[in-house]
Amino acid sequence: RGRSLFNGNCRQCHLDRNQGDQVTAYYLRFRPADFYDQDFWKRHDAKTIAETVKRGKGVMPPQRLSPEDTQLVIDYIVKQFKN
């Protein structure tokens, strides 16, 4: 379910290169967080990610996900992207 939520709510901006996503003009212009970047994981934990999802950041608007769905997305991105 976390993967489905990520694909429906996050993937259009936060690329999943394992799924063949290519860099887009939007990505180059706004530089959303790159979950493949290990420096991202040094600066962010589940709490800060949840706050960003809830409140938005920069050009990213707040996401309308329940706390439970937010946690499912976080669990997915940790498993999928963090090394």
Side-chain angles (χ1 to χ4, degrees), residues 27-38:
Y27 186 86
L28 291 173
R29 181 172 180 201
F30 294 109
R31 299 288 181 182
D34 180 355
F35 301 136
Y36 288 97
D37 180 359
Q38 293 309 300

Side-chain angles (χ1 to χ4, degrees), residues 48-63:
T48 59
I49 296 169
E51 282 298 309
T52 300
V53 170
K54 180 179 178 182
R55 299 184 191 282
K57 182 176 181 181
V59 297
M60 178 184 151
Q63 302 299 300

Side-chain angles (χ1 to χ4, degrees), residues 4-60:
S4 175
L5 289 164
F6 175 83
N7 286 341
N9 294 281
C10 313
R11 186 172 166 189
Q12 60 270 28
C13 298
H14 300 278
L15 307 178
D16 186 349
R17 292 189 295 267
N18 284 339
Q19 299 300 317
D21 293 350
Q22 300 295 315
V23 172
T24 63
Y26 177 91
Y27 186 86
L28 291 173
R29 181 172 180 201
F30 294 109
R31 299 288 181 182
D34 180 355
F35 301 136
Y36 288 97
D37 180 359
Q38 293 309 300
D39 286 336
F40 170 86
W41 296 105
K42 293 175 186 174
R43 299 183 312 271
H44 298 84
D45 58 15
K47 183 178 178 181
T48 59
I49 296 169
E51 282 298 309
T52 300
V53 170
K54 180 179 178 182
R55 299 184 191 282
K57 182 176 181 181
V59 297
M60 178 184 151

